[in-house]
Amino acid sequence: MKIAIDATNLKAGGGLTHLKNICIQFNQISNLEYHVFGGEWIADLDIRHKHIFIKEFKSMFKQEWFKLFKLKPLLKEYDLVFAPGGSFYSKKIPYITMCRNMLVFENAER
């Protein structure tokens, strides 16, 4: 299986730590090939296949344009897209998103 991980909005903190731990687990699965897509913040991660984009993240406008018009065509060659940042949508590409911040569902936090 070939999986793409959309790490375009996991730039620091708990999201990046979570991504590191996911990759450690994915490294143990022999028949899994995974590729991580993101900015320079994924450069230091222990990942075999990383796709680092720098100029595409210079501004919020460039970032969103890139994700909508450039990233999605790249992801079409994968069996599945995993978006641990929770912000991905496609009618043509199978995907799984993850919401790590559950506090928004707590009455006191809302």
Side-chain angles (χ1 to χ4, degrees):
M1 177 175 248
K2 199 170 171 185
I3 296 177
I5 300 177
D6 176 6
T8 56
N9 64 344
L10 300 178
K11 297 179 181 173
L16 202 54
T17 301
H18 196 208
L19 178 63
K20 289 177 189 177
N21 290 323
I22 288 169
C23 292
I24 289 169
Q25 296 303 312
F26 278 5
N27 286 337
Q28 298 175 14
I29 303 171
S30 61
N31 61 345
L32 176 65
E33 178 183 332
Y34 70 96
H35 294 240
V36 178
F37 293 81
E40 55 193 316
W41 52 88
I42 65 168
D44 295 333
L45 298 180
D46 183 23
I47 300 167
R48 282 180 231 133
H49 307 285
K50 47 186 152 185
H51 305 270
I52 300 172
F53 302 92
I54 297 173
K55 66 180 182 177
E56 291 82 0
F57 293 95
K58 294 293 183 188
S59 72
M60 185 63 78
F61 175 76
K62 285 184 179 183
Q63 175 179 324
E64 293 307 312
W65 190 88
F66 166 74
K67 288 170 66 174
L68 189 61
F69 296 107
K70 297 289 185 180
L71 182 62
K72 283 190 179 180
L74 293 173
L75 301 178
K76 286 182 179 179
E77 67 181 71
Y78 294 88
D79 299 317
L80 180 71
V81 174
F82 175 50
S87 62
F88 186 86
Y89 175 76
S90 174
K91 289 184 177 181
K92 298 179 181 176
I93 304 169
Y95 66 95
I96 297 172
T97 61
M98 172 188 259
C99 182
R100 294 179 336 277
N101 183 4
M102 301 307 288
L103 288 176
V104 297
F105 299 105
E106 294 290 328
N107 288 334
E109 297 298 323
R110 261 185 273 147

